[in-house]
Amino acid sequence: MTKDSSPSHKYIVSDDPYLSGKLVDYLPKINANIISLADFFSLDLESSQTISKVLFYLSRYELEKSHIEIHQYLKTHSLVMSSFLIRAPIEYTGFQSLSIEEDLFFTNVPDDAPTIFLVKAIVNAFTSLQMIVDKFELQKRINISTNEISKLTRIGISLANEKDFTKLLRDILTSAREISNSDSGSLYLVEKDEKGNPRNLRFKISALDLNSDEFILPINKKSIAGYVAYTGKQLNIPNVYELSDKEEFHFNSEFDKMSNYYSKSMLVVPMKDHHDEVVGVIQLINRKKNFHTKLSLEQMKTNLVLDYDKYSEDLVMAVAGQAAVAIQNNNLVHEIETLFEGFVTASVSAIESRDPTTSGHSFRVAQYTVGLAEAVNSIETGRFKDIQFSHSQIKEIRYASLLHDFGKVGVREKVLVKAKKLEDYELDLIRWRFHFILKDVEAKLSHKKIEYLKKHGNKGYTEFEKSIQLEYELEKEKLHEMVHVISQSNEPSILEEGNSHFLEEISKLSYETTDGGQISLLQPREFSFLSIRKGSLDFEERREIESHVEHTFQFLSKIPWTRELKMVPSIAHGHHEKLNGSGYPRGLTAVEIPVQAKMMAIADIFDALTDKDRPYKKAVPLERAFDILKMEVRDQHIDGDLLDVFIQNKVYEKILSKRLES
């Protein structure tokens, strides 16, 4: 066996003992190691991870004897590219019946062929092998590039769709590590001051410990990550422990000591937005051959840790660019959500400022409804087992609940805040009317006294005066009783039957004044309002109040809701509908009302019952509120199963406790 000193992975496997002598003058050109078949089988050609080109120059007899063993070897060694020159006459075709693939046979070379013919055959065979290897390498590169492009596409889609910011950062770091085969890594974000200038670099996440506490680095050239953030340039360091003193940055080995790790090769790249401003830094550590291989501490100190090549840099920079866009988009979405949240809160506050007695109602209804939705999510059996509200749907429920009364901006304030059947000035007018009548009665009786004195003098006047006084007291008492009944009837509570009849009698009475005029004790409009059986609103006013639901729907329908929030108008539209179709504004039945609106209806009624005392009603105790809600169930107004979930899960408890504490 003879070996060339060249490191080339080219071998001529031969059973010709004189081959080395024949080729001695041509070996530098051929640049291959000549070995026997036995030596070939003992070679370890896989460990180098490099393709070896092997030319078999064997006699027909050796080939026919060893073809099965050769075939088995080639079958199990994927990095060996081979071709066969057969020491046999040109017309030999016996190789066709052997187990070796026919396309591996290059040509026959008779033993008596000139040496130059043999040399040309060997050179041509190796050239053919090299072409096959080049084709294989090219296809490998194409496959790798295609795979990496596919990875980058998947990464881009994944990052673009991720809404959870913490998970987004983890995905960015994992994607950068995976595409570069990095063992570890960290991610930092740039923080800005009030003027929008970079202030510091905040460590957010590490591949070694995702729960690491955040810390701050100054943006300057002293640290590796700080240098990249400051300059906007990437750093590719083969070995961080072999940095010279010439660099402006230095490696802090304390992290390795604390985490029992050994950082060697490092690639640190900036994440830049579309303004070319650095928004963060990705720091990758210890490139390895296979991403899924776990390196031990000792292995990290060996050549199993590779340098980051230019291709890795390009791939990671592509990920960093996508990451910067994803972070910027996420921040933009967060800012928009914060802006919208502020708009919703301001809108609700504006609505409730029109009626201070219901202050906080919309916020509490939102809390109750969201709490009920989350309770439904936890149910695994029964009617609601298949209902699962996503995070976006919970947000949708919350916004619908917060804005469910927004349409009250379209209701006149005098109707919206009307506490009693008559306005204060209207009741005062009635009282002054009765006061005037009493004074007029007093004037009439005084006139009677004067006429008596003119006709009869003092004779019997004392007795006459007593009778006049008695008449006055009776009239006064009668008028006071009427005013009392009118005042009682003005309250929004249920009108008593007796008062209703008395009101009707009063409305028929009129009084003739001393100048001959007629005064109705109650005007038709006053009687109409005072005769309201329950509450403070007449039919038209109640219709105006109820119209707030339609106003809400019309207003919310004009907002270009995102796909995740498109149900907000419909949910808010249905919160006053009843299961039996007697609700408003559309008279929907149970199957037509969204379950979210059914939940809000329970929350709305519960808060109205348990809210602090209002001018027109008292807050009811918790058990009484449940009794009223159960009556609503019996009347087929609200969903009994949802009410059971509301009560059993004590959805109300946390909110009521806070109100009691305050």
Side-chain angles (χ1 to χ4, degrees):
M1 179 181 74
T2 63
K3 290 187 179 181
D4 194 273
S5 60
S6 168
S8 171
H9 294 277
K10 292 169 63 177
Y11 299 91
I12 301 175
V13 179
S14 179
D15 60 342
D16 183 356
Y18 305 109
L19 183 61
S20 295
K22 292 178 184 178
L23 301 180
V24 66
D25 294 331
Y26 304 98
L27 282 177
K29 180 180 179 180
I30 296 172
N31 191 26
N33 299 313
I34 301 175
I35 59 175
S36 67
L37 190 60
D39 288 338
F40 171 72
F41 287 138
S42 65
L43 285 178
D44 179 15
L45 297 180
E46 295 288 315
S47 61
S48 66
Q49 297 293 307
T50 304
I51 294 177
S52 298
K53 297 178 283 292
V54 178
L55 178 62
F56 291 94
Y57 177 59
L58 300 173
S59 66
R60 54 185 287 189
Y61 308 107
E62 182 63 38
L63 183 64
E64 290 170 359
K65 181 179 76 171
S66 306
H67 72 93
I68 295 175
E69 191 176 3
I70 294 172
H71 171 75
Q72 199 61 35
Y73 182 91
L74 295 178
K75 185 179 178 182
T76 57
H77 289 70
S78 59
L79 292 178
V80 174
M81 302 297 294
S82 60
S83 187
F84 287 80
L85 292 178
I86 307 174
R87 292 170 53 204
I90 296 296
E91 64 273 10
Y92 172 71
T93 58
F95 60 83
Q96 294 175 347
S97 62
L98 304 181
S99 60
I100 298 172
E101 289 79 357
E102 191 171 337
D103 59 355
L104 297 183
F105 291 96
F106 187 73
T107 188
N108 297 343
V109 180
D111 280 337
D112 58 353
T115 300
I116 190 63
F117 181 84
L118 174 61
V119 171
K120 286 185 177 181
I122 290 173
V123 171
N124 289 340
F126 273 123
T127 301
S128 176
L129 278 177
Q130 186 61 50
M131 291 174 66
I132 294 171
V133 170
D134 290 345
K135 180 182 177 182
F136 178 81
E137 290 287 357
L138 181 60
Q139 187 61 52
K140 181 180 176 183
R141 288 196 191 99
I142 291 172
N143 291 342
I144 291 173
S145 297
T146 303
N147 183 48
E148 301 302 351
I149 291 171
S150 177
K151 277 185 183 179
L152 287 173
T153 302
R154 289 198 304 273
I155 289 168
I157 294 172
S158 173
L159 298 184
N161 292 334
E162 185 54 61
K163 301 296 186 296
D164 184 331
F165 190 63
T166 301
K167 188 173 185 303
L168 172 64
L169 298 183
R170 292 180 181 178
D171 288 349
I172 291 170
L173 182 57
T174 301
S175 300
R177 287 178 55 229
E178 185 175 359
I179 208 162
S180 61
N181 292 333
S182 297
D183 187 64
S184 185
S186 303
L187 188 145
Y188 302 81
L189 291 183
V190 171
E191 292 186 334
K192 296 183 177 181
D193 58 23
E194 295 77 9
K195 296 181 180 179
N197 299 316
R199 182 173 55 190
N200 50 51
L201 200 60
R202 181 175 290 276
F203 168 83
K204 296 295 292 185
I205 203 166
S206 166
L208 293 179
D209 182 10
L210 296 178
N211 297 315
S212 297
D213 292 334
E214 296 183 4
F215 60 85
I216 291 173
L217 283 176
I219 297 180
N220 55 36
K221 295 183 178 182
K222 293 183 179 180
S223 66
I224 293 175
Y227 179 91
V228 171
Y230 183 83
T231 63
K233 299 176 182 178
Q234 65 197 56
L235 286 177
N236 188 340
I237 307 171
N239 192 330
V240 291
Y241 283 98
E242 294 180 358
L243 289 171
S244 67
D245 295 333
K246 297 178 181 179
E247 291 89 358
E248 295 177 272
F249 52 84
H250 68 275
F251 170 65
N252 185 354
S253 61
E254 290 301 315
F255 176 80
D256 279 2
K257 294 174 183 176
M258 290 188 297
S259 56
N260 194 31
Y261 195 78
Y262 187 84
S263 300
K264 191 178 179 184
S265 62
M266 189 176 289
L267 177 63
V268 191
V269 299
M271 293 184 286
K272 296 183 179 181
D273 62 15
H274 64 288
H275 295 300
D276 204 37
E277 293 182 0
V278 178
V279 299
V281 170
I282 300 175
Q283 186 175 43
L284 301 172
I285 304 170
N286 290 352
R287 178 173 170 249
K288 50 192 179 182
K289 292 179 180 178
N290 190 313
F291 175 68
H292 299 288
T293 302
K294 185 67 177 176
L295 298 179
S296 68
L297 183 62
E298 292 305 316
Q299 287 175 322
M300 293 176 194
K301 301 176 183 179
T302 68
N303 58 5
L304 290 178
V305 171
L306 310 175
D307 295 351
Y308 287 93
D309 55 16
K310 184 66 171 63
Y311 188 61
S312 297
E313 287 185 27
D314 293 341
L315 289 174
V316 174
M317 285 301 294
V319 172
Q322 292 178 330
V325 172
I327 289 172
Q328 189 177 32
N329 288 344
N330 197 285
N331 288 337
L332 183 60
V333 168
H334 178 70
E335 288 173 5
I336 292 172
E337 288 179 346
T338 302
L339 177 66
F340 186 72
E341 185 75 23
F343 162 75
V344 170
T345 303
S347 299
V348 174
S349 299
I351 300 162
E352 297 194 338
S353 67
R354 297 190 69 208
D355 184 7
T357 60
T358 62
S359 178
H361 168 72
S362 295
F363 294 103
R364 290 192 299 274
V365 168
Q367 289 176 295
Y368 289 136
T369 311
V370 167
L372 181 51
E374 290 172 343
V376 168
N377 273 357
S378 65
I379 295 174
E380 298 179 354
T381 58
R383 177 183 159 199
F384 302 117
K385 64 181 175 66
D386 296 326
I387 295 180
Q388 189 70 32
F389 298 109
S390 66
H391 175 73
S392 295
Q393 287 174 314
I394 292 290
K395 185 186 292 185
E396 184 179 61
I397 290 169
R398 179 171 174 270
Y399 283 143
S401 303
L402 283 170
L403 295 167
H404 77 283
D405 277 344
F406 189 85
K408 287 183 178 178
V409 297
V411 178
R412 288 176 299 156
E413 191 163 356
K414 62 176 290 186
V415 176
L416 184 65
V417 299
K418 189 178 180 186
K420 299 185 180 182
K421 298 175 184 178
L422 295 175
E423 298 288 342
D424 289 344
Y425 77 89
E426 292 176 309
L427 188 61
D428 287 341
L429 184 61
I430 293 173
R431 285 174 176 153
W432 276 106
R433 184 184 304 145
F434 276 80
H435 180 70
F436 172 79
I437 291 172
L438 182 59
K439 288 297 181 182
D440 197 75
V441 168
E442 189 177 342
K444 283 181 179 179
L445 294 177
S446 296
H447 184 71
K448 282 185 179 183
K449 290 179 184 180
I450 294 169
E451 289 298 318
Y452 182 90
L453 289 170
K454 283 180 179 180
K455 290 181 180 180
H456 307 289
N458 290 331
K459 186 179 180 181
Y461 178 75
T462 302
E463 293 300 322
F464 179 76
E465 187 180 31
K466 287 181 180 178
S467 66
I468 290 295
Q469 185 63 32
L470 179 61
E471 184 181 349
Y472 173 76
E473 293 296 335
L474 289 173
E475 287 295 328
K476 181 180 178 182
E477 185 178 350
K478 188 189 299 183
L479 291 172
H480 280 181
E481 186 179 0
M482 290 181 183
V483 172
H484 177 70
V485 169
I486 290 171
S487 297
Q488 272 192 331
S489 302
N490 192 45
E491 296 298 322
S493 54
I494 296 174
L495 182 64
E496 295 179 8
E497 194 71 26
N499 285 357
S500 178
H501 292 312
F502 195 12
L503 279 175
E504 191 171 357
E505 291 177 14
I506 297 172
S507 69
K508 295 175 182 177
L509 297 176
S510 62
Y511 175 78
E512 185 177 351
T513 63
T514 53
D515 58 3
Q518 291 287 332
I519 297 178
S520 295
L521 271 63
L522 273 180
Q523 299 295 327
R525 182 179 180 281
E526 295 166 343
F527 172 68
S528 175
F529 276 105
L530 291 170
S531 300
I532 294 170
R533 301 291 300 173
K534 182 181 179 181
S536 62
L537 305 175
D538 70 353
F539 179 74
E540 290 302 322
E541 289 174 333
R542 186 160 294 283
R543 281 188 59 187
E544 185 174 350
I545 284 287
E546 290 177 355
S547 72
H548 83 274
V549 182
E550 198 61 46
H551 291 319
T552 296
F553 179 72
Q554 294 302 327
F555 166 74
L556 294 180
S557 296
K558 288 180 172 62
I559 296 175
W561 299 97
T562 60
R563 183 176 57 184
E564 292 83 1
L565 302 174
K566 64 181 180 181
M567 281 282 290
V568 167
S570 299
I571 296 170
H573 202 195
H575 77 277
H576 275 302
E577 300 289 354
K578 297 177 181 178
L579 305 188
N580 62 3
S582 64
Y584 62 88
R586 293 174 293 165
L588 302 181
T589 57
V591 294
E592 299 171 303
I593 305 171
V595 66
Q596 299 96 318
K598 293 176 183 176
M599 294 189 295
M600 199 198 304
I602 293 172
D604 194 32
I605 297 171
F606 178 81
D607 186 67
L609 292 170
T610 59
D611 191 17
K612 61 189 177 183
D613 293 351
R614 298 181 183 180
Y616 51 86
K617 76 165 196 65
K618 295 285 185 182
V620 302
L622 190 59
E623 291 304 320
R624 176 60 181 152
F626 293 155
D627 289 339
I628 294 172
L629 285 166
K630 288 171 183 176
M631 284 191 284
E632 292 284 302
V633 171
R634 285 195 291 273
D635 292 338
Q636 295 186 331
H637 291 172
I638 62 175
D639 191 301
D641 293 334
L642 285 174
L643 178 61
D644 289 340
V645 175
F646 184 84
I647 295 173
Q648 290 167 9
N649 287 270
K650 297 184 177 180
V651 171
Y652 52 86
E653 195 169 55
K654 188 182 295 183
I655 302 159
L656 286 183
S657 297
K658 285 183 179 179
R659 287 171 58 195
L660 288 173
E661 288 173 7
S662 62

